[in-house]
Every structure is written in structure tokens, then in C-alpha cells.
């Protein structure tokens, strides 16, 4: 079968292909409506040290800051902070369950990092991100405070407050529709080819 003949066959059966695409796109849209939306909120923070003070135009991290970022990422999902957040927000969650909703996004090359919270409620995702950022700041201040009362070796601050997003990160409706259209196209073409093949074999 030449490319030309294949194109002619598909064009001749365009109605079948079109119906298949519409059906699968509609099905994909229906599936996306059944998926519970999940929202994300981010609190942007920064690390400052005695040897390096954060400035708006300077983000590069030294080795000390890099090491601190790794440690802070573990704190964010640890029981100390998650239990405080649960108590502060009166959440009907265990600290371990909350830890599944919170992550810390960072690059070891920058002193800027994000506290990322997800939830089915955009407002609760924002509150979790905000409270986690506040509690992390408090815990770091406690841990970094020297016994002699000198300036702490490191501190963190909130650069941008988290916001309640109006757009969920899941489901990705556009992606669902694209997949539905592609599958519908493939199924439609397969049906057209099958119809032609079995139609020829009829007595």
C-alpha cells in the first residue's frame, strides 16, 4: 500500500476518524472532571550567613549555604516542623500525612528556595506553605543560635509570601484532551483500515 493510497483510504473514511476523535476527546474530558483537583502554593525563602548576606541581585550560594539547604530540606518533612504545622492549623492529619503534602524545592547553587505545599483546597495549600515557612524560620533560628549570644551562623527569611492558586496542577485538562485526540485519531484510522480490509474479504 503506497502512501498515496493510504491517504486516500483515510480521507474516504474521514467521518469515522472524526467521530472517533470526538468520542475519545469527550471521554478524556469526562475523566478529567472525575479527577479531584490538586492545587499548589509556594513560599519563596532565602538563606543568609555571616559571610554572605542576601541581596535582591545576588543569589549564588557558598558551600556553607549549600550544606544548610540540604539540612533544611530534611527539616521541612521532619516530624518537628510537620507536627507544629498540624497543631497550628488544627489539621485532621498526622505529621507523616502532612509530610506527603510538603516539599522543599532548591538548587545548591542558589540561596533562594521554595516551600511547596499541595492540597485539594488552594487556601489550605497556601496556609500550609505559609505556616511551614514560618515554623522552619523559627526552628532554624533555634538551631543556629549560638550559646554565647553571638550572631547566628545562618538564618532564613521569607522573600515571597505564598498565594492561593486558582489553577490546579492536577488534572492537566489540556494534556488529557491531547491524549484523547491522539488515541481517537489512531483508533479511527485503525477502524477505517479494518473496514476496508474486511469489506474486501466479503463474498
Amino acid at each position: 500500500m503506497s502512501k498515496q493510497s493510504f491517504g486516500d483510504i483515510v480521507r474516504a473514511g474521514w467521518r469515522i476518524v472524526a467521530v472517533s476523535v470526538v468520542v475519545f476527546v469527550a471521554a478524556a474530558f469526562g475523566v478529567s472532571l472525575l479527577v479531584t483537583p490538586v492545587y499548589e502554593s509556594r513560599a519563596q525563602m532565602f538563606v543568609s550567613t555571616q559571610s554572605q548576606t542576601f541581596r535582591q541581585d545576588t543569589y549564588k550560594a557558598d558551600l556553607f549555604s549549600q550544606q544548610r539547604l540540604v539540612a533544611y530540606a530534611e527539616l521541612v518533612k521532619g516530624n518537628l516542623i510537620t507536627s507544629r504545622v498540624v497543631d497550628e492549623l488544627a489539621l485532621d492529619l498526622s505529621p507523616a500525612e502532612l509530610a506527603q503534602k510538603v516539599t522543599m524545592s532548591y538548587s545548591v547553587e542558589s540561596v533562594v528556595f521554595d516551600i511547596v505545599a499541595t492540597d485539594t483546597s488552594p487556601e489550605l495549600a497556601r496556609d500550609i506553605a505559609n505556616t511551614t515557612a514560618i515554623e522552619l524560620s523559627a526552628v532554624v533560628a533555634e538551631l543556629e543560635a549560638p550559646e554565647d549570644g553571638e550572631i547566628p551562623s545562618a538564618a532564613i527569611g521569607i522573600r515571597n509570601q505564598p498565594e492561593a492558586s486558582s489553577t490546579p496542577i492536577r488534572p492537566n485538562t489540556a494534556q488529557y484532551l491531547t491524549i484523547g485526540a491522539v488515541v481517537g485519531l489512531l483508533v479511527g484510522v485503525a477502524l477505517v483500515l479494518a473496514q476496508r480490509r474486511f469489506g474486501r474479504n466479503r463474498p
Side-chain angles (χ1 to χ4, degrees), residues 98-130:
L98 177 62
Q100 300 302 313
K101 295 174 174 285
V102 183
T103 57
M104 179 172 145
S105 174
Y106 68 96
S107 168
V108 294
E109 297 179 354
S110 172
V111 296
V112 178
F113 64 96
D114 291 340
I115 301 296
V116 185
T118 57
D119 195 80
T120 55
S121 164
E123 291 78 18
L124 184 54
R126 175 200 60 201
D127 293 344
I128 291 174
N130 184 58

Side-chain angles (χ1 to χ4, degrees), residues 26-182:
F29 182 69
V31 170
S32 71
L33 293 177
L34 297 175
V35 177
T36 302
V38 176
Y39 298 86
E40 178 183 276
S41 186
R42 292 172 174 261
Q44 191 173 70
M45 309 186 72
F46 63 90
V47 181
S48 62
T49 64
Q50 289 183 357
S51 61
Q52 180 182 46
T53 302
F54 176 82
R55 298 198 316 271
Q56 293 292 331
D57 60 344
T58 304
Y59 305 112
K60 189 174 181 180
D62 56 20
L63 179 59
F64 184 81
S65 297
Q66 293 173 5
Q67 295 171 339
R68 285 299 189 268
L69 284 171
V70 175
Y72 297 161
E74 295 179 358
L75 281 175
V76 166
K77 298 181 74 68
N79 187 72
L80 176 61
I81 289 179
T82 54
S83 60
R84 290 188 180 187
V85 175
V86 167
D87 292 341
E88 181 66 25
L89 297 177
L91 299 176
D92 188 21
L93 295 170
S94 68
E97 290 173 328
L98 177 62
Q100 300 302 313
K101 295 174 174 285
V102 183
T103 57
M104 179 172 145
S105 174
Y106 68 96
S107 168
V108 294
E109 297 179 354
S110 172
V111 296
V112 178
F113 64 96
D114 291 340
I115 301 296
V116 185
T118 57
D119 195 80
T120 55
S121 164
E123 291 78 18
L124 184 54
R126 175 200 60 201
D127 293 344
I128 291 174
N130 184 58
T131 306
T132 301
I134 293 173
E135 293 299 338
L136 177 63
S137 298
V139 169
V140 168
E142 295 170 7
L143 296 177
E144 300 287 2
E147 296 181 357
D148 56 9
E150 294 293 326
I151 299 175
S153 55
I156 61 175
I158 301 176
R159 183 168 179 248
N160 289 323
Q161 296 286 344
E163 298 180 353
S165 174
S166 59
T167 304
I169 58 170
R170 295 191 300 271
N172 187 331
T173 302
Q175 185 179 53
Y176 274 63
L177 296 181
T178 300
I179 293 174
V182 171

